[in-house]
Amino acid sequence: MTARTPADGSPHGVASVDGVAGRSSGREIPEATVARLPIYLRALTSLGERGIGTCSSEDLAAATGVNSAKLRKDLSYLGSYGTRGVGYDVDYLRYQIAREIGVTHDWPVVIVGIGNLGHALANYSGFRSRGFRVVALLDAAPERHREAVAGLEVRPFDDLEEIVAAETVAIGVIATPAVAAQDVTDRMVASGISSILNFAPTVLSVPDGVDVRKVDLSIELQILAYHEQRKAVPDIDDNPEQEVIA
Amino acid sequence: MTARTPADGSPHGVASVDGVAGRSSGREIPEATVARLPIYLRALTSLGERGIGTCSSEDLAAATGVNSAKLRKDLSYLGSYGTRGVGYDVDYLRYQIAREIGVTHDWPVVIVGIGNLGHALANYSGFRSRGFRVVALLDAAPERHREAVAGLEVRPFDDLEEIVAAETVAIGVIATPAVAAQDVTDRMVASGISSILNFAPTVLSVPDGVDVRKVDLSIELQILAYHEQRKAVPDIDDNPEQEVIA
DNA sequence: CTCGTTTTGTTCTTCTGTTCACAAACTCCT
DNA sequence: AGGAGTTTGTGAACAGAAGAACAAAACGAG
Ligand SMILES: NC(=O)c1ccc[n+]([C@@H]2O[C@H](COP(=O)([O-])OP(=O)(O)OC[C@H]3O[C@@H](n4cnc5c(N)ncnc54)[C@H](O)[C@@H]3O)[C@@H](O)[C@H]2O)c1
Ligand SMILES: NC(=O)c1ccc[n+]([C@@H]2O[C@H](COP(=O)([O-])OP(=O)(O)OC[C@H]3O[C@@H](n4cnc5c(N)ncnc54)[C@H](O)[C@@H]3O)[C@@H](O)[C@H]2O)c1
């Protein structure tokens, strides 16, 4: 039996109740907080590069566009890493967040589907600089295999199992057409991958214990369109010519 | 004064309380629901293409990976478009959702920053097929202007105002490096764009009334990494070699 | 050492979103 | 026509997240 990941946020099926007063490892970080930690991490890196050694929750909130109370609460899930009256040590906090997220070491990643989007991803330097190492580019089409993209050769999709085993890859990225995505997913899961980032506009079925996150451009645009329509037409139904300035 | 959009979901600053029992236009669709409507829309299109004329909330829930009660409640915000004992008419519901989102007509879109990612976006057919028409590709670098990408020429960024005015563009996509993103945003907003999809890993400041949504690959991967680390090491802190099967 | 200032960590309240459960509404069959 | 079987739409309970507010802790000035 397969468990579909919910369409929205929560990728996990973990029971969030631990009746034992959760002391052992102590941490039960809410999903919403987890989603913001990378934002703080990036802001702290930026502050650090600008030579700033200490910052208050207010500073960091301003840099990330987050409410400062929310930010402090988020950070409090990791521990007490601030100093009252002073703020947070930028480098120390950055390290603590990185450790919590698990990006103190590199994660090997495979990308499947080296078309338009796959090329862009392969060339994306932000991957590497944030703790992710692309170890292989895979594509089913033989004519792709002659190419080298971003210093890596494009390899046959059938090499997947071998590569995953050799590099203990846990994270896979899918940039194939939607029709192929479920097949690719099944092969990934069978080979041992347990986290998938999916760019294909389709719902993936995965067994329990496998996380899927999807990035869907059209959905983002449609959400914008919804709000845009609302702005333009406050009352009438289907007449988007009229521009109303509030 | 600028209002930062919250890091997470809600792009709007709308007051959600309307003490007057909200009858006039009747609709006050929750943000979480809005984010799912495009998913339903896609599933319905797919069902329609397969010749399926009617579907129950259970069917649609299975196709989209959403809880069926949640789905029914989502749809109930749009109106009563189902028939008890029968289900929903696929085409009719699809149209109603499309109308609610505002994709019964095309939205003109400009893409700024035609590098790796911009190329992929320009070539993406899913744009057009889902109600978004790319009217211009803009880039600051003169050497890009010789190119034609996906049947459109790459034009100088300074043409922005002219194009936005001529086509009444409301939606802009930013695929420039992070350092340029705020400048591009300011120009977009000044020219009349009021919805922005941002691929650059940076927080944008925009005035009230402008929506920003961001797509951030690294954040998605880091969220996956967090859960992955959790799976691998249930108790110890920093030793990701050990693989534990629950 | 004491006071005033700053800023964290946390509690409490409010809001938003999810899930359950069931009456109402519909179809089909006899 | 009536009853059995479906499936919607929604009220109510529950869960999770956000924001306001403040006590406790640190620091620096005097
Ligand atoms: N291009 C974009 O900007 C963009 C944006 C959002 C979403 N997407 C989605 O991303 C996916 C890829 O888009 P694209 O524009 O790069 O498409 P594309 O057609 O250019 O590339 C797809 C690649 O996948 C390969 N492929 C097909 N079946 C495969 C399989 N079974 N195993 C391995 N590889 C396989 C093809 O050979 C091709 O190289 C699509 O699902 C698309 O909807 C693309
Ligand atoms: N490539 C990816 O897969 C990927 C993934 C996630 C995020 N991103 C982000 O998307 C952005 C673009 O990535 P990329 O790989 O395409 O970068 P890129 O360097 O290939 O392309 C950037 C383009 O923007 C243009 N540009 C620079 N400044 C500009 C300005 N002020 N006005 C207009 N155009 C300008 C450049 O001329 C260049 O063509 C970056 O912020 C990157 O972090 C990229």
Side-chain angles (χ1 to χ4, degrees):
Chain A
M1 180 190 286
T2 61
R4 296 177 185 277
T5 45
D8 191 359
S10 68
H12 245 182
V14 289
S16 55
V17 268
D18 58 342
V20 207
R23 267 293 281 101
S24 64
S25 190
R27 331 276 175 67
E28 191 65 35
I29 302 185
E31 202 46 41
T33 295
V34 171
R36 282 187 295 266
L37 290 179
I39 305 176
Y40 306 149
L41 186 57
R42 179 170 295 153
L44 287 166
T45 303
S46 166
L47 289 174
E49 280 166 1
R50 279 185 278 151
I52 296 169
T54 306
C55 72
S56 69
S57 64
E58 211 67 58
D59 296 339
L60 195 50
T64 53
V66 170
N67 174 301
S68 70
K70 183 157 67 174
L71 186 147
R72 285 198 299 279
K73 189 181 288 190
D74 284 344
L75 295 183
S76 77
Y77 290 113
L78 316 192
S80 276
Y81 296 132
T83 311
R84 295 171 191 223
V86 177
Y88 300 91
D89 182 278
V90 169
D91 283 343
Y92 184 57
L93 183 58
R94 194 180 57 71
Y95 174 76
Q96 292 300 338
I97 293 178
R99 193 176 53 79
E100 190 68 39
I101 299 178
V103 291
T104 47
H105 58 91
D106 275 8
W107 290 92
V109 170
V110 294
I111 302 177
V112 177
I114 312 301
N116 285 311
L117 185 59
H119 270 85
L121 297 176
N123 279 308
Y124 182 42
S125 60
F127 255 140
R128 188 58 193 264
S129 68
R130 294 199 177 80
F132 300 92
R133 183 168 44 94
V134 178
V135 296
L137 308 175
L138 303 177
D139 201 294
E143 60 270 27
R144 297 276 188 198
H145 301 156
R146 241 157 287 286
E147 293 180 64
V149 180
L152 282 170
E153 57 169 340
V154 179
R155 299 180 57 177
F157 180 54
D158 285 328
D159 290 2
L160 177 72
E161 287 79 5
E162 178 193 330
I163 293 165
V164 170
E167 307 254 13
T168 52
V169 179
I171 300 176
V173 175
I174 297 180
T176 66
V179 285
Q182 185 62 57
D183 285 346
V184 171
T185 299
D186 295 342
R187 286 280 294 274
M188 280 185 171
V189 170
S191 74
I193 284 177
S194 49
S195 290
I196 294 174
L197 182 56
N198 178 32
F199 285 89
T202 188
V203 177
L204 298 179
S205 291
V206 293
D208 272 4
V210 176
D211 286 342
V212 176
R213 293 192 68 87
K214 71 159 188 278
V215 172
D216 195 319
L217 183 45
S218 313
I219 288 180
E220 299 300 326
L221 284 174
Q222 289 177 359
I223 295 170
L224 287 175
Y226 170 81
H227 291 298
E228 199 58 46
Q229 169 170 263
R230 283 276 156 139
K231 287 180 214 168
V233 189
D235 219 308
I236 301 120
D237 247 359
D238 220 349
N239 180 10
E241 268 82 37
Q242 177 186 6
E243 281 274 333
V244 176
I245 314 294
Chain B
M1 179 196 290
T2 62
R4 294 177 185 277
T5 45
D8 191 1
S10 69
H12 247 182
V14 289
S16 56
V17 267
D18 57 343
V20 207
R23 267 292 283 103
S24 63
S25 190
R27 330 277 176 66
E28 192 64 36
I29 302 186
E31 204 44 43
T33 295
V34 171
R36 282 187 296 267
L37 291 178
I39 305 177
Y40 306 149
L41 186 57
R42 180 171 293 154
L44 287 166
T45 303
S46 166
L47 290 174
E49 280 166 1
R50 280 185 278 151
I52 296 170
T54 307
C55 74
S56 68
S57 65
E58 211 67 58
D59 296 339
L60 195 51
T64 54
V66 170
N67 176 302
S68 70
K70 183 157 65 174
L71 186 146
R72 285 200 299 278
K73 183 161 282 190
D74 284 344
L75 296 184
S76 77
Y77 290 113
L78 315 193
S80 275
Y81 296 134
T83 310
R84 294 171 191 222
V86 177
Y88 300 91
D89 182 278
V90 169
D91 283 342
Y92 184 57
L93 182 58
R94 193 180 58 70
Y95 174 75
Q96 293 300 337
I97 294 177
R99 192 176 54 80
E100 191 69 39
I101 298 177
V103 290
T104 46
H105 58 91
D106 274 9
W107 290 92
V109 170
V110 294
I111 303 177
V112 177
I114 312 301
N116 285 311
L117 185 59
H119 270 85
L121 296 177
N123 280 307
Y124 182 42
S125 60
F127 254 141
R128 189 59 194 263
S129 68
R130 293 198 178 79
F132 300 92
R133 182 168 45 94
V134 179
V135 297
L137 308 175
L138 304 176
D139 201 294
E143 61 270 27
R144 295 278 187 199
H145 302 157
R146 240 157 290 286
E147 291 181 65
V149 179
L152 282 170
E153 58 170 337
V154 178
R155 300 179 56 177
F157 180 54
D158 285 329
D159 291 3
L160 177 71
E161 287 78 5
E162 178 194 331
I163 293 165
V164 170
E167 307 254 12
T168 51
V169 178
I171 301 178
V173 176
I174 298 180
T176 65
V179 285
Q182 185 63 57
D183 286 345
V184 171
T185 299
D186 294 342
R187 286 281 293 273
M188 280 185 170
V189 169
S191 74
I193 284 176
S194 50
S195 290
I196 294 174
L197 182 57
N198 178 31
F199 285 89
T202 187
V203 177
L204 298 180
S205 291
V206 293
D208 271 5
V210 176
D211 286 342
V212 176
R213 294 192 68 89
K214 72 160 189 279
V215 172
D216 195 320
L217 185 44
S218 313
I219 287 181
E220 299 300 325
L221 283 174
Q222 287 176 0
I223 295 170
L224 286 175
Y226 170 80
H227 291 298
E228 198 58 45
Q229 170 168 263
R230 284 275 156 143
K231 287 179 212 168
V233 189
D235 220 307
I236 303 121
D237 246 1
D238 221 347
N239 180 8
E241 269 81 38
Q242 177 185 5
E243 281 274 333
V244 175
I245 314 294

